[in-house]
Every structure is written in C-alpha cells, then in structure tokens.
Amino acid sequence: KRRFDQANRDLTGTFLFVNRVAVMMMPATTLLMNGLTVLILWVGAHQVAQATMRIGDMMAFIQYAMQVFFSFTMLSVLFILLPRVDIAAHRVADVLETEASIRDPEEPVPLPEPLTPTIEFRDVSFRYPGAEEYVLRDITFTVRAGETVGIIGTTGSGKSTLINLIPRFYDVTEGEIRISGVDIRQVRLKDLRDCIGYVPQQSNLFSGTIASNLRFADEDAPEERLMKALEVAQGHDIILSRAGDDGRSPLEAEVAQHGANFSGGQKQRLTIARALVKQPSIYIFDDCFSSLDYRTDRQLRRALREYVGGSTVIIVSQRVATIKDADWILVLDEGCIVGQGTHEELMATCDIYREIALSQLKVVVAQD
Ligand SMILES: Nc1ncnc2c1ncn2[C@@H]1O[C@H](COP(=O)(O)OP(=O)(O)OP(=O)(O)O)[C@@H](O)[C@H]1O
Ligand SMILES: [Mg+2]
C-alpha cells in the first residue's frame, strides 16, 4: 500500500510539474511573440519614417519572423511528444508481435457439411498455461445434436473454463474435444468459430449503433433478423426506450464505448441478441442471464427454445431456475463432474445439486 501511495505521489508530482510548465509556457511564448512584433514595428517605424524602408517590407518581415518563431515552438512540442510516442509505439508493437499460441493446424480438416452439432469431451483435463493446478479433471460427456444442456456449479468450479475450451480460447492439456466427430484441433479456427455463437460472462459492446453491434458476426444481416433477435432476447424495453421521435429506427440508436449508456441487463440482452443474429449451430451462454429478473429470464428461455430450432445449446448458470428445463444438467465441483442428469434425477441423487437447489428454492417459489 505504501509503495502504491509513493508511486501515486510521484505521478501526481510529475504531472503537476509538467502542467505548470505548460501553463507558464503559453503566456511566455505569447509575450515573446508580441514583444518581437512590437520591436520590429519600433525599429521599422523609424526606418519607414526616414524612408529607408517600405511599409510592405516591414509587414513581410513581421510575417517571416512569426513563422520562424512559430516553427521553433512546434519543434519544442515535438520534443515533448517524441518520448511518449516512442513508448506507445513499443507497446503497440509488443501486441502485434506476440505470437498466438492457438494456431491453425497444418493440414486442416473441414467440418462435415451440413454440420450435426454434437459436442464430445473425452477425458479432458486442463490447467492454465503456467499454472500448476489442474482446473478441470477427467471431464467426459457428450451433448447430442439439438440438445439443451445446463451447466451449474459454485463460483470458481471451472464452468467458464470448460466452455472456453470449445471455441479453442485455450487448448486442452489432456484429452480431446470433438465437434461432429472431428477433433477441434484439426479444424481451422475460423471454421470452428463460425459454427459457434458464444455469449461471454462479461457482456462487451462496442461504440457504434445497436445495429453495428448486432451485425458483428454477420455484416449483411437484414434488419428483420436484427429485430427478431432483439425480440427473442426480450429487448422490447430497449427498442421502446431508444425509438426516437425523429423517425429513426431504434437500431440506429447510439451505443457508447463498452455499452456505458445501457444497464447491465440491457447489455446482457444485446450480447445475447448478437449471438442470435449469427444463427450458429452451437450456442454457448456463459452465465449471461444473471442480471435478468426471473420472469424475463423465463420468457427469454421460452422464446429461445423456439428460435434456436435444431441447434445445440449450452447454458451456464448459477441459478437452478435457469437450467431446470434443460434436457440434462451437468454439475461441476472443483473442476470435476459430480452429477449428470435431469433436474429430478439430480435432486434425488446429487448432494451438491440438491444443496444449491434448496438454497435457491425459496426465491424461485416467491418469484413464480
Ligand atoms: N486466465 C486464468 N489464468 C489462471 N487461472 C484462471 C484463469 N481463469 C480462471 N482461472 C482459475 O480457474 C478456476 C475456474 O475458473 P472459472 O472462471 O472457470 O470459474 P467459473 O465456474 O466460471 O466461476 P464463476 O461462476 O464465478 O464464473 C478458478 O479457480 C480461477 O481462479
Ligand atoms: Mg464463469
């Protein structure tokens, strides 16, 4: 804490110094500039009076003097900026030069066409690069095409890690993941990610319009599809609140950086709508219903079920109510599967699931 305090004080000191100097520089240079003009006028006026110089020459001289002076001022500013530019350029270069650890295979295998969206985990274990402890251990399960699967578990049990392995944000440490029977490490990254609609736990929007955000995966998506996606994602209130009087479509409403002008729940629904516009074969929702109230959550899931058709859906959630109606549910605890089955089966057989469910039941009953 002391070191942080010290660093902050140093920074404040430096900034104050730099700004004070900058503030002093401004009047100083203006004074010098105008002083110079006055000096030239003073000397020039005498010469003009003695008829050894013409007024035009004097004016030209003033202009030249100003330009030379101004150039020197710019040069000094440049010297202040150069070190900053140097550091910034290095940082950008560092990012650009970083080699991605997840790469396309040498001889990519195409995914079957049309795709049967099955997902198969075979003895998958995973630890983060550089970490010693395994975050996931011996995960084996199969999601059949068109199924909706819920994943539940306490915080830090590895839910996000597990589903991040599917679009290959990380590669498995041991075991393999197959989509439609093909090991995902043999597929080109673009092909793999094209068939997945992923909604992250942290919603992220970009500055632009609602339409530009929704069209992120598909630039040519027609307006009706955007509206339909918003409708399924229960975005009525977003549409209503952004429908301006000037007759512009609510899709053209502005989105600030990181979606700062939307509420948490609105951001989540916009990110869900973005995935829906893509119409992929596999949907992955990482705890993205958490900011929605139970009613909206339920309506959204009902609309979603109709919308996704034959696509495979994986829903991660902390809330039993959100995943209760899934075809089956996977219970994770400390990186291991501790239960697998429907809500009723798990209530009867899985202690951890029952514990989570019972602790939430009161809320659900009250809200239903
Ligand atoms: N990038 C990372 N590097 C190292 N360890 C990580 C990283 N991300 C997560 N972990 C660790 O992996 C474990 C599982 O994290 P994960 O994000 O998968 O949990 P989760 O089940 O999604 O939790 P939550 O419900 O809070 O989202 C945690 O112990 C976490 O500390
Ligand atoms: Mg998570």
Side-chain angles (χ1 to χ4, degrees):
K1 192 170 156 227
R2 222 182 50 233
R3 279 219 321 266
F4 184 67
D5 208 40
Q6 183 64 37
N8 262 329
R9 264 175 223 287
D10 283 352
L11 189 70
T12 314
T14 316
F15 261 98
L16 276 177
F17 174 72
V18 170
N19 278 308
R20 274 194 191 120
V21 170
V23 164
M24 291 306 290
M25 283 295 274
M26 188 63 192
T29 44
T30 321
L31 191 73
L32 256 167
M33 234 156 82
N34 288 324
L36 193 67
T37 319
V38 170
L39 189 73
I40 296 171
L41 277 173
W42 179 265
V43 176
H46 280 293
Q47 297 203 1
V48 171
Q50 290 161 10
T52 49
M53 191 193 223
R54 280 173 301 182
I55 287 194
D57 290 343
M58 187 182 71
M59 292 314 285
F61 193 74
I62 292 178
Q63 284 300 325
Y64 292 146
M66 283 304 113
Q67 276 190 11
V68 171
F69 191 83
F70 196 65
S71 304
F72 273 108
T73 328
M74 288 312 281
L75 205 67
S76 65
V77 173
L78 204 68
F79 273 111
I80 298 174
L81 286 182
L82 263 180
R84 291 192 192 184
V85 170
D86 184 49
I87 291 170
H90 271 108
R91 284 195 194 152
V92 174
D94 279 348
V95 174
L96 291 180
E97 281 163 10
T98 305
E99 282 222 11
S101 55
I102 308 284
R103 259 173 267 146
D104 273 338
E106 308 256 304
E107 290 163 24
V109 177
L111 282 168
E113 208 46 75
L115 187 79
T116 33
T118 57
I119 305 170
E120 202 181 340
F121 275 63
R122 285 191 192 168
D123 301 318
V124 170
S125 294
F126 176 77
R127 60 167 185 247
Y128 278 98
E132 306 230 317
E133 291 257 327
Y134 276 91
V135 177
L136 296 173
R137 257 163 286 139
D138 301 323
I139 306 284
T140 303
F141 66 90
T142 307
V143 185
R144 286 194 296 269
E147 275 184 337
T148 299
V149 177
I151 300 182
I152 196 167
T154 46
T155 44
S157 54
K159 304 181 296 293
S160 298
T161 309
L162 180 105
I163 53 171
N164 282 347
L165 295 178
I166 303 174
R168 271 190 85 194
F169 294 152
Y170 296 97
D171 267 338
V172 295
T173 314
E174 282 155 37
E176 58 181 10
I177 302 173
R178 287 171 173 270
I179 285 184
S180 198
V182 184
D183 188 330
I184 55 171
R185 281 169 297 188
Q186 294 173 341
V187 183
R188 206 175 296 134
L189 275 176
K190 183 173 182 317
D191 295 347
L192 175 69
R193 290 176 185 173
D194 271 352
C195 70
I196 297 175
Y198 169 81
V199 184
Q201 190 161 15
Q202 214 82 45
S203 26
N204 41 19
L205 296 172
F206 306 101
S207 52
T209 61
I210 292 186
S212 73
N213 271 282
L214 294 186
R215 287 208 177 99
F216 200 69
D218 184 356
E219 279 174 25
D220 309 315
E223 205 155 288
E224 300 86 70
R225 196 149 106 217
L226 305 190
M227 286 309 260
K228 176 76 187 155
L230 269 179
E231 193 191 312
V232 173
Q234 308 299 309
H236 318 287
D237 61 316
I238 306 177
I239 298 173
L240 281 181
S241 69
R242 307 286 149 156
D245 307 323
D246 51 359
R248 276 195 315 167
S249 155
L251 289 173
E252 296 308 318
E254 197 192 316
V255 178
Q257 197 172 12
H258 302 304
N261 53 344
F262 287 93
S263 80
Q266 288 176 333
K267 272 191 274 191
Q268 282 195 329
R269 278 171 292 157
L270 282 174
T271 18
I272 293 170
R274 176 164 63 198
L276 298 180
V277 169
K278 190 176 175 188
Q279 299 185 323
S281 313
I282 297 170
Y283 287 93
I284 300 176
F285 299 102
D286 189 356
D287 213 356
C288 56
F289 304 102
S290 58
S291 295
L292 309 181
D293 56 81
Y294 280 91
R295 212 175 110 241
T296 314
D297 180 359
R298 204 172 52 228
Q299 286 168 342
L300 201 161
R301 274 178 295 115
R302 195 174 300 155
L304 195 67
R305 194 175 273 267
E306 271 176 39
Y307 182 85
V308 298
S311 298
T312 303
V313 181
I314 297 184
I315 299 179
V316 170
S317 182
Q318 306 268 10
R319 297 207 298 230
V320 173
T322 307
I323 52 156
K324 205 166 127 242
D325 308 321
D327 293 320
W328 56 276
I329 299 162
L330 196 78
V331 189
L332 272 185
D333 189 45
E334 295 185 2
C336 297
I337 297 181
V338 291
Q340 203 169 336
T342 61
H343 173 70
E344 285 74 25
E345 287 167 14
L346 287 170
M347 280 304 272
T349 57
C350 180
D351 291 338
I352 292 182
Y353 185 79
R354 197 170 337 122
E355 218 170 272
I356 300 174
L358 288 179
S359 68
Q360 295 177 5
L361 208 60
K362 279 189 217 117
V363 190
V364 181
V365 169
Q367 300 259 345
D368 266 349

